[in-house]
Amino acid sequence: MPCLQIVIVSTRPGRKGPALATWFERHARAHGAFEVEVVDLAAVALPVFDEPEHPRFRKYQHAHTRAWSETVSRGDAFVFVTPEYNFTTPASLVNAVTYLFHEWACKPAAFVSYGGISGGLRGVQTTRLLLSNLKVVPIVEAVTVPMFSTHIDADGVFTGDAKLDASAATVLTELARWEQALRVLRTPKA
């Protein structure tokens, strides 16, 4: 079964990404098309990119890079649970993506974005460009959560409405289709 990595992007204190990731994880497990792994960039704790060689050479000098390479290599598809900061991609995601090259290639990605009125869409648009340069295939389908704090209760639990739940199901179905289609490109030639 392919591995879907749900990546919690925000690393700042007081972040709400884990609540949205937990909600999406429940949907992903119920959907059944993937093994599910949650990857929290705060726990990964990558320093600002510090490898002396370009990632395309895979000559990783640091243990944190080798561990990150192993993590991303396990993934067959990604869902980035992300806010937008200053109308663009959070620095934590830019940094995490920058560390690697080959590990990302030919895998589909989707977004659960959240924020104010835009629901994080401006950040997603810039992230799509970044990922495309690494041969990641960002799919069109997404879960966009405007005014996300209205979905979080006093205990910090995120609850989606019918539209968000339907969006999650659509994202998962499309990710499974794209993962299967792209798998042949990830298979090493004999």
Side-chain angles (χ1 to χ4, degrees), residues 9-130:
V9 171
S10 179
T11 59
R12 68 181 184 83
R15 66 202 173 120
K16 304 301 182 197
L20 281 87
T22 299
W23 167 80
F24 191 81
E25 179 186 5
R26 282 194 306 273
H27 281 278
R29 291 190 188 284
H31 187 271
F34 296 99
E35 284 183 28
V36 178
E37 178 182 4
V38 176
V39 178
D40 186 347
L41 292 184
V44 173
L46 291 168
V48 174
F49 183 61
D50 64 351
E51 285 290 334
E53 298 281 344
H54 191 282
R56 74 178 178 273
F57 299 123
R58 286 186 164 173
K59 294 181 180 177
Y60 304 135
Q61 302 297 309
H62 303 293
H64 57 259
T65 309
R66 289 189 295 275
W68 182 229
S69 172
E70 290 172 15
T71 297
V72 174
S73 292
R74 280 195 307 270
D76 296 302
F78 307 101
V79 169
F80 296 99
V81 179
T82 184
E84 67 177 28
Y85 294 152
N86 300 322
F87 309 122
T88 193
T89 309
S92 57
L93 183 54
V94 173
N95 189 54
V97 167
T98 299
Y99 261 90
L100 307 174
F101 182 75
H102 298 284
E103 295 86 342
W104 298 111
C106 303
K107 298 175 183 180
F111 300 90
V112 173
S113 66
Y114 59 98
I117 194 70
S118 77
L121 283 174
R122 295 168 295 205
V124 166
Q125 287 304 98
T126 58
T127 306
R128 287 177 186 279
L129 293 172
L130 172 65

